[in-house]
């Protein structure tokens, strides 16, 4: 993998301790090209409301644009209203509502 950032590059350091992390991978779509999939964006409770999540989100968006990714995709548990609100305020669309898509899983 080329240019894969280290955890320290994507973690939010606050007062010399980690305030959270963003875990993502690159994926590919035949019609769109390179995509990013955000597995988890986590901010430790003492650091919430202090801009750590916004800083990590902004960093991911800049990285995705720099790497010519077509989209940044992720899923959010439907009960996590705080996270849904966070992402919607930043322009994310809920594909469950707009595209009527279903997420499926096959257990191996």
């Amino acid at each position: 993998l080329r240019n894969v950032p280290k955890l320290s590059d994507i973690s939010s350091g606050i007062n010399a301790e980690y305030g959270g992390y963003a875990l993502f991978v690159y994926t590919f779509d035949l019609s769109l090209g390179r995509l990013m999939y955000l597995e988890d964006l986590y901010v430790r409770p003492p650091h919430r409301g202090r801009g750590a999540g916004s800083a990590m989100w902004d960093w991911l968006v800049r990285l995705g644009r720099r790497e010519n990714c077509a989209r940044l995709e992720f899923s959010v548990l439907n009960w996590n209203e705080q996270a849904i609100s966070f992402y919607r305020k930043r322009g994310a669309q809920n594909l469950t509502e707009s595209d009527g898509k279903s997420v499926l899983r096959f257990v191996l």
Side-chain angles (χ1 to χ4, degrees), residues 61-107:
V61 169
R62 284 192 309 273
L63 177 66
R65 288 179 176 150
R66 186 173 70 231
E67 294 291 323
N68 295 315
C69 294
R71 291 195 291 230
L72 170 58
E73 297 185 332
F74 52 94
S75 59
V76 179
L77 296 170
N78 60 4
W79 55 261
N80 193 343
E81 290 295 330
Q82 186 177 6
I84 293 168
S85 176
F86 174 88
Y87 295 121
R88 282 194 169 179
K89 285 179 185 174
R90 284 150 185 85
Q93 299 171 347
N94 185 337
L95 298 181
T96 305
E97 295 170 359
S98 65
D99 290 359
K101 293 187 177 183
S102 297
V103 176
L104 305 175
R105 175 180 295 144
F106 182 80
V107 178

Side-chain angles (χ1 to χ4, degrees), residues 17-33:
E17 69 177 67
Y18 288 109
Y21 63 86
L23 179 63
F24 70 96
V25 295
Y26 292 107
T27 63
F28 191 82
D29 179 277
L30 289 175
S31 60
L32 296 173

